[in-house]
Every structure is written in structure tokens, then in C-alpha cells.
Amino acid sequence: MLESSVVVCRFAQDLHFFVTGGDDDNELILATVLQGFFDAVTYPSPILRNNVDQREALENLDLILLCLDEILSFSFTTARRMILETDGSVIAGKVATHSIEDGYPLSEQTISQALATAREHLTRSRTSQMS
């Protein structure tokens, strides 16, 4: 616990993964979220391709951000966050599906194309939640 936050962390080579929560958040749930995220980006998945280092993470930052989007939902109107998924293989599968739907892999898009794709998926998920 750090001041009024709970912080769980995991290290892999030269990457550091952190999940933080308020002092009222359950540390085991935060650890489960971190484990799911870590599994999605590191184990046999299309994201970091078993090569966990800073260079590979930066080259696939769009996929890593999509993993975070698949894990968490945040409501700006109520400032509440919700955990959607913690299974690393399911998260990686959803991210891989997004790549296939777009016709070409996210790792081959420019950053502006990747952000536009992420924005489109976020808008689509928000409209489906409101329905």
C-alpha cells in the first residue's frame, strides 16, 4: 500500500507492469487484473510474441492498449470503473479478432489508424452498453 493507493506490480525483463487502486479496493482483485493483463501480452499470444522487452512493447502499443480496453470499462459520467475480463487467453483472443475484422493486423497500421480503430471500437462498445 502506497499512501492511499494499493499497488500491485509484476516485472518481466525490462518491463514493469503496475495496477493501482484506491485504498478501499481489494488487492486480490487487482492482482487478478494484473495477471490477466500480463498473460494476455506475454504468453503465447499475438501481442508480444513471447518477446517481452521495451522495444517489442512499444512496437505493439496499440495491441497493448486494446488489451486494457478489453479488461476495463470506465464511465466518465459516474467516474466508476468496471472489470470486464481477467482471463489472459480470452483478452488476447478478442484483440486478435479485432485485427482480423479490420482486414489487416493492427501491428501493421500507422499510429493514427490504430487510434482511429480503437476509437471506433470504443464508440461501438459504448453505444451497445447504452442500448
Side-chain angles (χ1 to χ4, degrees), residues 4-22:
S4 62
S5 299
V6 176
V7 180
V8 291
C9 59
R10 182 122 188 227
F11 306 104
Q13 294 180 13
D14 58 349
L15 290 177
H16 304 255
F17 298 91
F18 295 91
V19 172
T20 63

Side-chain angles (χ1 to χ4, degrees), residues 29-40:
I29 292 174
L30 296 176
T32 302
V33 169
L34 178 61
Q35 184 64 46
F37 177 69
F38 186 82
D39 290 348

Side-chain angles (χ1 to χ4, degrees), residues 46-102:
I47 298 169
L48 293 184
R49 300 177 195 92
N50 294 329
N51 188 13
V52 184
D53 63 5
Q54 285 181 352
R55 188 174 125 312
E56 191 74 25
L58 287 174
E59 288 177 1
N60 295 291
L61 187 58
D62 53 345
L63 299 175
I64 291 172
L65 293 175
L66 278 175
C67 282
L68 291 174
D69 184 53
E70 292 295 336
I71 294 170
L72 295 172
S73 175
F74 183 79
S75 171
F76 291 102
T77 56
T78 61
R80 298 196 60 143
R81 56 194 187 271
M82 183 185 329
I83 300 168
L84 302 174
E85 185 62 64
T86 58
D87 185 348
S89 61
V90 172
I91 296 163
K94 287 181 179 180
V95 169
T97 302
H98 290 306
S99 301
I100 294 168
E101 286 175 357
D102 295 335

Side-chain angles (χ1 to χ4, degrees), residues 15 21 38 43-44 107 113:
L15 290 177
F38 186 82
Y43 289 124
S107 59
Q113 289 172 325

